[in-house]
Amino acid sequence: MDDSLALLRFNCPSPSCDSILLGWGDLKRHSKAEHKHSLCELCTQHKKIFSHEHTLYSSLELSAHMPTEHAQCGFCRTWFYDSDLLYAHCRSSHEVCFICVKQGIKHQYHLNYNKLVRLVSLPVVREPC
């Protein structure tokens, strides 16, 4: 039972470190201060692994990790853990063209309604004053 509980603690992922921290914030501060490396914020939030199984990254390694492991919104430049979360973001924060959707074109998003209207040259419908 003690071995199982030990897995649930916030153990440092560095193989040379035996530190047990109080939570994610404490673990991130420890990693930065003691090891000069960072944890990927998206991985710590979404990846279903124990804290000691995460990878520590130098700033250069983290920069390389982001585009290979995560998805970025081309409009907001915000990173998402995976393409499913990116698509959910795009559906809720950006616009699709109903004409394109009718023609079977999927996942074609536009920054906002005004950008979509300018692209397809449709008249903008405005509420009366």
Side-chain angles (χ1 to χ4, degrees):
M1 183 71 161
D2 287 338
D3 290 339
S4 297
L5 292 176
L7 290 173
L8 298 175
R9 294 185 182 128
F10 290 91
N11 300 303
C12 181
S14 175
S16 62
C17 184
D18 293 330
S19 295
I20 299 172
L21 293 308
L22 300 175
W24 284 114
D26 199 25
L27 180 57
K28 290 172 189 176
R29 282 187 295 278
H30 164 82
S31 299
K32 195 73 164 163
E34 296 297 319
H35 305 295
K36 309 296 187 249
H37 281 69
S38 301
L39 292 161
C40 173
E41 187 70 34
L42 293 172
C43 288
T44 59
Q45 288 176 6
H46 298 281
K47 201 169 189 177
K48 304 298 181 208
I49 59 176
F50 296 114
S51 62
H52 68 275
E53 295 176 313
H54 281 277
T55 303
L56 291 175
Y57 298 99
S58 68
S59 56
L60 188 60
E61 291 168 335
L62 187 58
S63 295
H65 164 80
M66 294 303 285
T68 59
E69 297 295 322
H70 302 298
Q72 186 179 40
C73 176
F75 301 112
C76 307
R77 311 308 297 166
T78 302
W79 288 100
F80 295 89
Y81 181 69
D82 58 17
S83 57
D84 290 341
L85 292 175
L86 172 61
Y87 290 138
H89 160 77
C90 287
R91 282 192 305 272
S92 67
S93 300
H94 302 300
E95 296 290 330
V96 294
C97 172
F98 71 92
I99 298 169
C100 294
V101 171
K102 288 268 189 192
Q103 293 177 350
I105 300 170
K106 296 181 179 182
H107 309 300
Q108 182 74 34
Y109 295 96
H110 304 277
L111 176 62
N112 55 38
Y113 183 76
N114 289 335
K115 296 282 186 185
L116 172 61
V117 168
R118 280 191 220 127
L119 180 69
V120 293
S121 300
L122 295 173
V124 177
V125 179
R126 295 207 164 101
E127 295 289 326
C129 299

